[in-house]
Amino acid sequence: MKAIVTVIGKDRVGIIASVCTLLAQYNVNILNISQSIMQENFVMVMLVDIIGCKIPLVELSEQLAGLGAEGGLSIRIQREDIFDNMHRI
Amino acid sequence: MLSQNEIMQTIQMIDQQHLDVRTITMGISLLSCAHSETKTACDKIYDKITGYAEKLVATGEAIEKEFGIPIVNKRISVTPIALVAAAAETDNYVPFARTLDRAGKTCGVNFIGGFSALVQKGMTDADRHLIASIPQALAETDIVCSSVNVGSTKAGIDMDAVALMGRTIKDLAARTADRSGFGCAKLVVFCNAVEDNPFMAGAFHGVGEPERVINVGVSGPGVVHHALQSVKGEPFDVVAETIKKTAFRITRMGQLVAQEASRRLDTPFGIVDLSLAPTPAVGDSVARILEEMGVETCGTHGTTAALALLNDAVKKGGVMASSSVGGLSGAFIPVSEDEGMIAAASSGAITLDKLEAMTCVCSVGLDMIVVPGSTSAETISAIIADEAAIGMVNSKTTAVRIIPAPGCKVGDMVEFGGLLGSGPVQAVHTASSKAFIDRGGRIPAPMQSLKN
């Protein structure tokens, strides 16, 4: 199953590293990353494969949100279906 | 591959434009719970509801986290209790309401609807008992919602029931006077009530429905408002297209959530109700959409036309996005639950008469309207009759949810809290409708009913 990780917030050193470390820790494979600065905000979108993830998605979502809260970022993971359904027929 | 832009668009809809799934409602048939002993019937009702809906809230919360989309309410609707309680040898149906309250609280749902009666062509003894029990039942319970269908295009309007409901609403307001008549916010009087509505206070599980079913109500006035901000000054064709596209996206999300909930709960999927349901939060208002279309304040000339376009475009956009659309589907115009409506009503820009006109083209009817506590039962009945007539003749659902706030006068502000919001007390006409309501009987079904 695929999911989308989004990270939004003020840019600083090590954002990508910390998110990737957490994902690797739970065996989440990163398939694609795109990153940009929009209106002075750091915006990163990752496509990840959670099929081998060691913990349930709900728990991973809480961990990512927690990591975001520490660094003043909004980090979320959502199943890819929601975006697919909304933007593709 | 989805573009970053598309992903961020969805995130913004959720984060900044209040996009949410308003409710996952499980409909449960209670027909199998009928019993001559009230206690036995109530026990069977409790066991059936808590058995079927045991995992409803937990499942809703899991879907919410996995998809990252807020699911604001988890609710239950049941078979109209007048049908279930008819077998019981009692004329007091309050114990049934208490049982629903208890079962709903055990499941952790926000509301449970179906303390209802369908009396469009006349009342059975059970219907009379149920209506007589409404004031005490709603005053003594917290999450039970009640509805009474007093008319339909096929049957006409039961004016005896209309007269009775005016008195019932007054009684209920008096019993909840300490909370400004709050009980009335949980009671809806319908014409052409639908059997698969997931929204409260009017949800019940119709007799044509299966054993149990999952119905989902989506919302998103903020998303529509935001989309329209990008087409300022464009002609209405463009406005309609923009609303359709937005409604399509919102509904696709609702359909996904509905299918997922249905699968996880092993319960058939019923319908997606694609309604724009506002909340008192800023940026989640239907009135502001109408104002975005160009009327300075909701309620001024042009408002009805704007609402007609909105209501129609929402349906057209949503209908292709879901395998089965139902419920009320359209734009709601509750006064106290909509920040823009509250502002318009407070400033006097929108009156009861204009609201009545708007209900000809919106999805339901006069909703969450606060009137002076001194309003007579006959005047309330006459307001119900007017609204039911609009529904009957136009083959649409109409409803009245009105609160005659005890001790309050025009201009006062009444606070209900939460999603129910706050409403300014609005003026009603002072000339009497007593002789009209006192006639009773039935308004015959219109020509539109003779379609065969």
Side-chain angles (χ1 to χ4, degrees), chain B residues 3-356:
Chain B
S3 72
Q4 182 171 329
N5 215 5
E6 288 169 331
I7 289 166
M8 293 315 294
Q9 195 184 2
T10 301
I11 302 263
Q12 273 174 6
M13 282 183 187
I14 297 166
D15 259 11
Q16 290 155 28
Q17 298 157 26
H18 302 275
L19 175 64
D20 57 46
V21 169
R22 188 50 50 84
T23 177
I24 295 183
T25 305
M26 180 182 275
I28 299 173
S29 170
L30 295 183
L31 288 171
S32 63
C33 303
H35 198 278
S36 56
E37 288 289 332
T38 306
K39 180 161 185 328
T40 311
C42 287
D43 288 346
K44 288 171 87 172
I45 289 171
Y46 180 85
D47 291 344
K48 189 161 189 184
I49 293 172
T50 51
Y52 278 172
E54 189 186 6
K55 295 194 177 116
L56 176 64
V57 173
T59 305
E61 284 170 357
I63 295 173
E64 194 170 357
K65 288 219 175 79
E66 286 183 25
F67 287 105
I69 176 89
I71 300 172
V72 182
N73 295 295
K74 292 90 187 170
R75 297 164 170 170
I76 295 169
S77 63
V78 298
T79 308
I81 289 295
L83 300 174
V84 183
E89 287 159 355
T90 176
D91 55 5
N92 177 13
Y93 289 178
V94 175
F96 288 91
R98 288 201 196 107
T99 304
L100 294 180
D101 201 50
R102 204 158 49 87
K105 284 174 180 166
T106 302
C107 297
V109 295
N110 312 86
F111 280 116
I112 180 163
F115 195 74
S116 306
L118 310 175
V119 299
Q120 59 270 28
K121 209 168 180 182
M123 290 178 272
T124 62
D125 290 345
D127 293 330
R128 286 183 192 281
H129 297 157
L130 183 119
I131 294 172
S133 302
I134 287 175
Q136 192 190 344
L138 294 193
E140 289 183 7
T141 57
D142 298 313
I143 59 171
V144 174
C145 290
S146 173
S147 55
V148 176
N149 191 62
V150 297
S152 75
T153 303
K154 272 285 181 196
I157 303 171
D158 179 351
M159 289 300 289
D160 291 325
V162 168
L164 192 52
M165 288 317 294
R167 298 196 292 273
T168 304
I169 288 169
K170 285 290 284 182
D171 187 0
L172 177 53
R175 283 174 195 254
T176 51
D178 55 332
R179 288 171 286 164
S180 310
F182 174 76
C184 300
K186 299 184 287 179
L187 173 63
V188 187
V189 185
F190 275 117
C191 175
N192 289 326
V194 293
E195 299 201 323
D196 51 8
N197 165 24
F199 286 100
M200 294 295 171
F204 63 87
H205 185 75
V207 286
E209 294 284 308
E211 181 69 7
R212 58 175 172 163
V213 71
I214 285 291
N215 296 322
V216 164
V218 296
S219 188
V223 183
V224 174
H225 185 203
H226 184 263
L228 288 186
Q229 285 171 334
S230 62
V231 294
K232 274 192 198 301
E234 300 279 347
F236 280 114
D237 323 49
V238 178
V239 172
E241 278 303 304
T242 307
I243 297 171
K244 274 162 67 180
K245 284 179 189 158
T246 311
F248 178 82
R249 291 207 170 99
I250 296 172
T251 311
R252 287 274 282 188
M253 181 205 66
Q255 170 79 12
L256 179 69
V257 168
Q259 280 172 331
E260 190 71 21
S262 150
R263 189 180 60 77
R264 292 188 190 195
L265 291 163
D266 192 24
T267 301
F269 159 63
I271 55 97
V272 172
D273 186 326
L274 35 113
S275 284
L276 292 185
T279 69
V282 172
D284 204 17
S285 157
V286 168
R288 299 295 184 204
I289 298 176
L290 306 177
E291 290 171 3
E292 184 60 40
M293 283 192 219
V295 292
E296 187 181 358
T297 311
C298 181
T300 192
H301 306 294
T303 304
T304 311
L307 180 60
L309 181 149
L310 174 66
N311 202 48
D312 183 63
V314 165
K315 287 192 226 287
K316 285 175 178 163
V319 83
M320 188 183 146
S322 169
S323 58
S324 181
V325 171
L328 299 165
S329 288
F332 293 158
I333 52 165
V335 175
S336 78
E337 298 174 352
D338 183 310
E339 171 268 324
M341 281 285 185
I342 297 169
S346 302
S347 69
I350 196 159
T351 61
L352 207 53
D353 290 343
K354 186 63 176 176
L355 281 163
E356 185 184 307

Side-chain angles (χ1 to χ4, degrees), chain A residues 5 7 11-26 28 30 33 35 42 44 46 64 67-68 70 73 75:
Chain A
V5 177
V7 183
D11 195 15
R12 62 172 169 79
V13 175
I15 296 179
I16 299 182
S18 63
V19 176
C20 291
T21 307
L22 187 93
L23 293 175
Q25 191 187 329
Y26 294 114
V28 174
I30 298 166
I33 300 185
Q35 184 248 300
F42 172 89
M44 176 167 70
M46 290 171 143
L64 283 166
L67 177 69
E70 284 170 27
L73 299 161
I75 308 183

